[in-house]
Amino acid sequence: MKHEPTRLWGVSLLSAWLAIGCVLLAGSGSAYARDTAMLNALQLQQLVDDAHAKFKDVKEGKNANYIPILDTIPSELFGVAIALPDGTIFTAGDVDYRFAIESTSKPFTAALVMQQYGGPAAVAEKIGVEPTGLPFNSKLAVEVLEARSVNPLVNAGAMASVSMVKASSEDERWKMVLDNLSDFAGDKLPLMEEVYNSEYTTSFGNRGIANNLYNYERLYADPEEVLRVYTKQCSVGVTTKDLAIMGATLANGGVNPKTGKRLIDQKHVPELLAIMLTAGFYDGSGYWSMTAGLPSKTGVGGGIVSVVPGKMAIAAFSPRLDEHGNSVRAQRAIRYIAGELGVGIFGPNAD
Ligand code: DON
């Protein structure tokens, strides 16, 4: 367990952030102002420690098992992290354990596509940006919704995103996807070969979706190539710390705080966050928005990343999932932290 905050860029930027918070929030009289204006590094560290301690004994949910290897990951693993826009990170629990990124990768590839096409219009037109109200792997959505792929955060739309990545070969497509995820993390991320083999050899559902999309002319490259690259994307290994930095890059307006590299234009970050808010939890997005109020993305590997625009990212990981495919403990930890800080984007939640 790591309890000391890691100061990547020193405390001066943290202090500046806190001071800005004080100026912006002073006098508003809300719980939000009271809570965030008083924050300091020790309190943020205490908060991640508390979140970890509070939910570590929760046993609800089950590991994903439709990807056989995910069922073998120790269910007790649990990591929690907050990363600030300057890269300062506060952690508790198993934050260095590497797990499969799965669907938490999807907004970052959507960001790559937005960059390559000069903004979100191409995503809206060629994929769609509506929530489906259906599970992440829904075949029904592809049939009944006119956009077919529907949005870049469900499997269909995420495969459409991969197919839109401008590349002249499968290798190049994969390299662009992997390099982009690594750039968001500010670290070289590995492909977890065992996860890839386990997932690709059981990808009957996603293969059906890819072929169906292609049939509807809503997939823009060879379906089997797209399926392979998409499955590799989902099999990239991340730690809870990596996820926090990926989120902090969005909280920081699109610039990775570790490397200083811009990955998405600042003006397009809100558009990406809007898609994360409405579709990041699939058919659980409404409840999540109501109770946590943060643009987020989940993955069946057990990771969740949430973004507080301009202020921080909160990431958590634990393998047991609820019926929507979202980590039970990670949801509780993030909701708790967001609630304690009062940083839901619509204001502090009443409950
Ligand atoms: O395509 C799949 O089913 C997985 N690679 C990803 C699904 C996922 O992570 C859903 N999220 N909670």
Side-chain angles (χ1 to χ4, degrees):
M1 237 197 245
K2 183 156 179 18
H3 290 282
E4 277 298 302
T6 310
R7 290 180 183 80
L8 297 173
W9 278 41
V11 287
S12 56
L13 285 175
L14 170 65
S15 310
W17 175 77
L18 295 170
I20 291 167
C22 289
V23 171
L24 288 177
L25 299 167
S28 75
S30 67
Y32 183 87
R34 282 197 303 276
D35 290 343
T36 57
M38 296 300 292
L39 282 176
N40 61 38
L42 284 177
Q43 287 168 319
L44 287 172
Q45 182 58 48
Q46 188 63 53
L47 193 53
V48 290
D49 286 340
D50 287 351
H52 186 270
K54 206 169 160 59
F55 302 111
K56 71 177 180 356
D57 297 323
V58 171
K59 307 281 185 204
E60 287 159 48
K62 283 203 309 247
N63 283 35
N65 60 10
Y66 76 99
I67 299 168
I69 199 165
L70 296 185
D71 205 18
T72 69
I73 308 298
S75 304
E76 292 309 324
L77 289 165
F78 185 27
V80 185
I82 290 177
L84 301 183
D86 68 359
T88 310
I89 186 161
F90 306 91
T91 65
D94 303 305
V95 291
D96 292 310
Y97 183 86
R98 202 167 284 285
F99 57 93
I101 189 169
E102 299 296 348
S103 293
T104 45
S105 60
K106 291 170 178 172
F108 302 102
T109 299
L112 172 64
V113 172
M114 284 187 185
Q115 280 307 92
Q116 287 189 338
Y117 288 75
V123 171
E125 184 202 319
K126 292 169 92 76
I127 300 174
V129 290
E130 298 303 331
T132 64
L134 289 164
F136 62 87
N137 52 3
S138 176
K139 293 159 195 72
L140 186 67
V142 177
E143 287 304 322
V144 300
L145 300 174
E146 209 182 327
R148 307 296 176 196
S149 40
V150 192
N151 73 63
L153 304 185
V154 292
N155 289 7
M159 286 192 274
S161 285
V162 167
S163 79
M164 284 176 71
V165 170
K166 289 182 178 168
S168 54
S169 68
E170 180 170 345
D171 282 351
E172 192 187 4
R173 189 181 304 283
W174 163 233
K175 185 175 171 353
M176 281 183 167
V177 166
L178 178 63
D179 287 353
N180 177 62
L181 293 174
S182 295
D183 281 346
F184 268 99
D187 220 337
K188 212 166 163 27
L189 298 177
L191 171 68
M192 299 176 88
E193 297 273 359
E194 283 191 325
V195 175
Y196 174 68
N197 290 332
S198 178
E199 187 161 342
Y200 184 62
T201 52
T202 53
S203 268
F204 306 108
N206 281 342
R207 183 173 287 109
I209 290 173
N211 281 312
N212 211 11
L213 283 181
Y214 192 72
N215 193 40
Y216 282 124
E217 300 182 343
R218 297 291 281 175
L219 198 78
Y220 309 100
D222 173 73
E224 198 60 31
E225 172 184 334
V226 171
L227 179 68
R228 277 192 295 267
V229 175
Y230 164 80
T231 308
K232 283 184 182 168
Q233 171 184 306
C234 292
S235 306
V236 165
V238 282
T239 65
T240 309
K241 281 183 186 165
D242 291 331
L243 263 193
I245 294 293
M246 294 174 88
T249 300
L250 295 178
N252 193 34
V255 174
N256 183 297
K258 284 168 75 176
T259 62
K261 186 168 178 180
R262 173 164 295 286
L263 298 166
I264 174 170
D265 290 347
Q266 180 142 19
K267 64 182 178 198
H268 296 314
V269 171
E271 291 147 344
L272 181 63
L273 294 179
I275 302 171
M276 291 170 71
L277 184 79
T278 53
F281 267 70
Y282 315 111
D283 45 339
S285 297
Y287 188 74
W288 179 254
S289 296
M290 186 182 79
T291 56
L294 290 179
S296 304
K297 190 69 207 80
T298 69
V300 290
I304 303 181
V305 59
S306 296
V307 179
V308 185
K311 294 200 177 74
M312 67 177 68
I314 313 167
F317 154 70
S318 199
R320 291 196 200 94
L321 311 178
D322 68 11
E323 67 277 19
H324 303 290
N326 305 322
S327 167
V328 175
R329 284 176 176 168
Q331 286 182 71
R332 301 243 175 117
I334 293 173
R335 192 186 281 129
Y336 172 74
I337 291 171
E340 288 297 299
L341 294 176
V343 291
I345 62 171
F346 306 110
N349 283 359
D351 299 315

